[in-house]
């Protein structure tokens, strides 16, 4: 995991070949990966790592909101340049009121429509059970809706497990300009009376 920069690595990063999910192996290795994949200097890698730390700390609510600010754009631009995750499916789970689900998803996310995440940086996982846990999938109650996104054909979202000190989460981060097509949806109900909606989506980026 050498910290190799230079123009040849910049062009490799720009080509953005896919990569399987890698595991966390320490802060210095995370910075080395940033230098290798993005052609960053040590100073630039430190800056980007600080942005990642802010995302996983006090800045989480800002990054996952619709508000736009310089650090959010900076992190999103780096995510766009990192090698995308080319393994199997990616998952994202959410839970909200029925009214919110109808407003933001059910009444808008029709089959064949092009959608986005509303200018948010949003996390996905390569492990379905992790996303089900975030969505309260098994036990969602009356008046609540669990939303599950199942992404196939990813060509945008990079895996960041090797950059994140949040160990145990096989996470991928979607940049703010991520767009996808809704392939189909399924609705079921839990034994507690809550609604569960699964959206199968496909990356709009050309292969």
């Amino acid at each position: 995991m050498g910290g190799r920069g230079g123009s040849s690595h910049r062009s490799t990063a720009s080509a953005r070949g896919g990569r399987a999910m890698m595991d966390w192996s320490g802060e210095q290795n995370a910075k080395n990966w940033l230098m290798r994949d993005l052609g960053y200097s040590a100073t630039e890698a430190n800056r980007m790592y600080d942005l990642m730390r802010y995302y996983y700390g006090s800045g989480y609510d800002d990054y996952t909101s619709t508000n736009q600010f310089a650090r959010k754009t900076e992190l999103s631009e780096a995510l766009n340049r990192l090698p995308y995750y080319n393994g199997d499916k990616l998952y994202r789970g959410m839970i909200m009121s029925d009214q919110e689900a109808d407003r933001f998803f059910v009444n808008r996310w029709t089959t064949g429509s092009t959608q986005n995440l509303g200018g948010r940086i949003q996390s996905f996982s390569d492990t379905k059970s992790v996303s089900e846990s975030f969505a309260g999938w098994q036990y969602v109650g009356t008046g609540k809706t669990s939303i599950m996104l199942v992404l196939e054909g990813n060509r945008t979202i990079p895996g960041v497990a090797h950059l994140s000190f949040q160990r145990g989460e096989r996470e991928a981060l979607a940049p703010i300009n991520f767009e996808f097509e809704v392939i189909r949806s399924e609705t079921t109900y839990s034994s507690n009376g809550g609604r569960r909606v699964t959206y199968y989506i496909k990356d709009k980026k050309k292969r």
Side-chain angles (χ1 to χ4, degrees):
M1 292 188 178
R4 296 167 292 174
S7 59
S8 62
H9 287 284
R10 289 181 188 274
S11 61
T12 299
S14 297
R16 299 203 60 254
R19 176 181 293 163
M21 198 80 77
M22 298 181 294
D23 291 322
W24 169 258
S25 58
E27 179 176 323
Q28 187 55 55
N29 281 330
K31 294 175 181 178
N32 289 344
W33 281 113
L34 288 169
M35 289 189 282
R36 195 201 78 159
D37 288 332
L38 300 178
Y40 278 173
S41 67
T43 299
E44 291 170 325
N46 283 331
R47 164 67 177 168
M48 191 52 56
Y49 187 76
D50 285 344
L51 292 180
M52 293 286 294
R53 288 180 65 88
Y54 184 60
Y55 173 85
Y56 288 111
S58 61
Y60 180 80
D61 288 341
D62 289 335
Y63 278 113
T64 56
S65 74
T66 58
N67 298 326
Q68 301 302 310
F69 52 96
R71 283 177 293 182
K72 186 178 188 179
T73 301
E74 189 176 358
L75 177 57
S76 183
E77 288 174 350
L79 294 174
N80 273 313
R81 293 176 56 203
L82 285 169
Y84 61 81
Y85 168 72
N86 69 350
D88 199 7
K89 301 177 179 68
L90 286 173
Y91 305 90
R92 172 158 180 77
M94 299 164 279
I95 187 168
M96 61 197 70
S97 69
D98 288 344
Q99 292 80 6
E100 288 177 300
D102 287 342
R103 178 182 176 189
F104 294 110
F105 292 95
V106 176
N107 296 334
R108 294 174 53 193
W109 284 33
T110 56
T111 298
S113 64
T114 296
Q115 301 293 340
N116 58 60
L117 298 175
R120 298 173 171 88
I121 292 179
Q122 296 279 271
S123 62
F124 286 72
S125 174
D126 70 349
T127 307
K128 185 178 181 181
S129 60
V130 170
S131 294
E132 286 181 339
S133 177
F134 276 104
W137 191 256
Q138 300 299 329
Y139 307 106
V140 61
T142 303
K144 295 287 188 179
T145 296
S146 288
I147 300 288
M148 180 71 68
L149 309 185
V150 182
L151 171 62
E152 300 174 297
N154 175 51
R155 290 295 182 272
T156 297
I157 303 176
V160 295
H162 62 305
L163 303 176
S164 166
F165 52 86
Q166 300 290 330
R167 301 183 186 187
E169 292 187 28
R170 303 276 293 172
E171 188 173 13
L173 278 185
I176 58 179
N177 61 345
F178 174 51
E179 285 193 335
F180 48 88
E181 179 183 354
V182 178
I183 304 302
R184 69 183 190 279
S185 64
E186 297 174 354
T187 301
T188 60
Y189 293 86
S190 78
S191 58
N192 293 338
R195 181 173 55 172
R196 300 183 296 206
V197 184
T198 302
Y199 290 99
Y200 295 88
I201 63 177
K202 185 175 181 180
D203 197 338
K204 289 287 287 186
K205 184 180 283 291
K206 295 187 182 299
R207 301 187 179 212

